[in-house]
Amino acid sequence: MASFHILSLTPQAPNSLAEFPYHSQSSIRFVRFRFSVHELRNPRRLSFRGFRIMGSIADTVGHTSDAPPVLSSSEVIERLRTSRENQESQQQYLAMYSSVFGGITTDPAAMVLPIDDHMVHRGHGVFDTAAIVDGYLYELDQHLDRILRSASMAKISLPIPYDREMIRRILIRTVSASKCRNGSLRYWLSAGPGDFQLSSSGCYQSALYAVVIQGKPPSRSKGIKVITSSVPMKPPQFSIMKSVNYLPNVLSKMEAEEKGAYASIWLDSDGCIAEGPNMNVAFITSNKELMMPHFDKILSGCTAKRIINLAERLVKEGQLQSISCENLTMEEGKKADEMMLIGSGVLVCPVLQWDEQIIGDGEEGPLVQALFELLIEDMKSGPPTVRIPVPY
């Protein structure tokens, strides 16, 4: 007789989702059912696509008779594939490169890492990303330079016999194999697999991983609200490298979402404006000055540095008076005419409110919009120094 075990149940939702492993003599099949809160409150008789459960749902919990099976490698892959197919994810992974198996896969079920990779269990890894826009990689070289700097700071050597040019070719080839024309390329350098010790001295070789994620052509972001983060930011030694140690960033972002905001803004130890959880912040003053925090205590944003370069055109046209990196207090930032978040994920996103303070007139400002349009133009038709064609 089949037995059922409830893995997840959320009766607070109007339509709750429960997932049951259906046990037979030969295999386990995961079956999902959706039912109403009314049915949960009256769980004596529930029918799901041919299955009928009699008695209370609670009576079925823990009554599985089978022990976890020992699986072959092919069975593991099949279950990983089924699990992927059942996930409701907003991201689609098109290709992955791994130096561990020395090639590219387009099967999401095979896009896995060794459990003893020190990036997995110790956070000893660095990463970076590059946008894919209309079949071109945007600022790949700039991001590649940054991940190599981060790797050096994190004491991660390149896998033998990899060098910068070889990594560059692998990344471009991975995008080519994915057939992705709009999306993102994310890649990691890890201390590598080897053991579960604290030091990476037992890792036989560092590792390179890369994933191509399907996306849409870049588009304009609506104005958002931010808050001041109560989560302490990382000290400069770790803030200036793009490592996988993102727990403070995660908690900062979650804090913002819990308070109905898009992101949190960090202040440094001197009380000056630092950065967001995964983006830089910039301001337009009442004197039409573009101002950003110094990069000495925060991540040197590739998109932010490109914006500084592109904004020179607005200075020549008289729309901006000057561009500078300054130490700004929160009070000075909140008095700005315009505020924006800048990064490869958000591009140039206008901030309309910080905590309870409305920024400027509470509307999306003209100079933030002008900077966004300059960036989009650069992504679509910029010089070869920032746009690399992908040979599909």
Side-chain angles (χ1 to χ4, degrees):
M1 181 176 180
S3 61
F4 293 87
H5 177 70
I6 297 175
L7 295 184
S8 60
L9 198 60
T10 54
Q12 297 84 358
N15 289 295
S16 298
L17 184 67
E19 189 177 71
F20 301 87
Y22 167 74
H23 293 254
S24 68
Q25 291 183 348
S26 60
S27 63
I28 298 175
R29 292 288 184 264
F30 284 85
V31 185
R32 291 184 174 187
F33 306 98
R34 193 173 294 278
F35 41 86
S36 69
V37 173
H38 173 75
E39 288 172 313
L40 286 174
R41 291 170 180 166
N42 300 276
R44 301 300 302 176
R45 188 182 184 90
L46 298 176
S47 296
F48 307 138
R49 294 185 184 177
F51 290 97
R52 178 158 290 182
I53 301 177
M54 304 296 292
S56 171
I57 290 178
D59 294 339
T60 68
V61 177
H63 283 244
T64 56
S65 58
D66 298 331
V70 177
L71 304 173
S72 67
S73 58
S74 60
E75 288 173 321
V76 169
I77 287 291
E78 184 58 34
R79 292 189 177 205
L80 286 171
R81 185 172 293 112
T82 300
S83 176
R84 278 287 180 192
E85 291 171 352
N86 289 338
Q87 289 180 9
E88 297 179 2
S89 175
Q90 295 181 350
Q91 292 189 327
Q92 183 181 1
Y93 312 128
L94 302 182
M96 176 192 178
Y97 173 83
S98 170
S99 63
V100 173
F101 53 73
I104 299 167
T105 178
T106 57
D107 183 353
M111 298 178 187
V112 295
L113 305 184
I115 189 63
D116 63 346
D117 190 303
H118 270 235
M119 183 171 70
V120 175
H121 63 88
R122 296 298 182 189
H124 195 179
V126 295
F127 77 101
D128 224 299
T129 186
I132 306 165
V133 182
D134 296 341
Y136 285 77
L137 275 160
Y138 183 69
E139 287 204 299
L140 174 63
D141 287 312
Q142 291 79 358
H143 286 91
L144 185 52
D145 289 340
R146 187 172 64 179
I147 195 176
L148 294 177
R149 291 196 302 269
S150 294
S152 177
M153 287 186 281
K155 297 185 178 181
I156 297 173
S157 58
L158 296 185
I160 299 172
Y162 293 66
D163 58 16
R164 184 191 186 282
E165 184 56 34
M166 183 177 179
I167 293 174
R168 187 179 189 271
R169 291 197 305 269
I170 287 171
L171 296 178
I172 295 173
R173 172 62 182 145
T174 304
V175 177
S176 175
S178 75
K179 308 300 182 185
C180 179
R181 302 193 68 84
N182 285 285
S184 61
L185 168 68
R186 190 173 293 256
Y187 44 99
W188 297 260
L189 282 168
S190 160
D195 55 34
F196 290 95
Q197 302 302 318
L198 184 60
S199 169
S200 62
S201 59
C203 299
Y204 63 90
Q205 183 167 263
S206 54
L208 169 69
Y209 307 106
V211 169
V212 178
I213 306 169
Q214 180 68 55
K216 298 179 180 179
S219 60
R220 181 185 177 196
S221 299
K222 295 182 179 179
I224 51 108
K225 173 186 176 181
V226 298
I227 64 170
T228 304
S229 179
S230 68
V231 179
M233 68 177 291
K234 291 176 283 191
Q237 179 181 358
F238 299 105
S239 294
I240 62 175
M241 78 170 77
K242 199 171 178 69
S243 77
V244 299
N245 292 290
Y246 255 46
L247 185 55
N249 310 62
V250 169
L251 295 177
S252 179
K253 174 69 171 178
M254 293 179 68
E255 178 187 34
E257 293 175 342
E258 290 165 358
K259 295 183 178 180
Y262 179 80
S264 297
I265 303 299
W266 271 316
L267 305 179
D268 66 20
S269 57
D270 297 321
C272 293
I273 298 168
E275 60 184 343
N278 62 340
M279 68 283 288
N280 293 102
V281 60
F283 303 88
I284 304 293
T285 71
S286 58
N287 295 326
K288 305 305 177 188
E289 300 169 295
L290 172 61
M291 303 182 74
M292 291 186 195
H294 285 293
F295 295 123
D296 56 343
K297 297 180 181 179
I298 60 176
L299 187 68
S300 178
C302 293
T303 307
K305 291 167 71 175
R306 187 60 181 165
I307 284 291
I308 290 175
N309 184 280
L310 296 172
E312 292 288 352
R313 186 190 306 181
L314 300 184
V315 175
K316 292 178 182 179
E317 295 173 355
Q319 296 186 60
L320 280 175
Q321 292 299 313
S322 63
I323 304 166
S324 63
C325 291
E326 304 284 347
N327 290 324
L328 295 169
T329 65
M330 180 172 61
E331 291 72 22
E332 290 171 326
K334 289 183 176 181
K335 291 179 182 178
D337 278 4
E338 301 181 47
M339 178 179 176
M340 70 203 85
L341 302 180
I342 302 174
S344 57
V346 297
L347 302 183
V348 181
C349 179
V351 176
L352 308 185
Q353 182 177 339
W354 185 353
D355 294 328
E356 303 306 316
Q357 177 68 47
I358 300 299
I359 303 299
D361 60 5
E363 302 291 335
E364 299 176 13
L367 289 174
V368 171
Q369 177 62 22
L371 290 170
F372 169 79
E373 291 172 354
L374 285 175
L375 182 62
I376 293 297
E377 179 187 346
D378 198 53
M379 297 177 86
K380 291 181 175 293
S381 59
T385 53
V386 296
R387 295 177 73 243
I388 298 171
V390 178
Y392 295 101

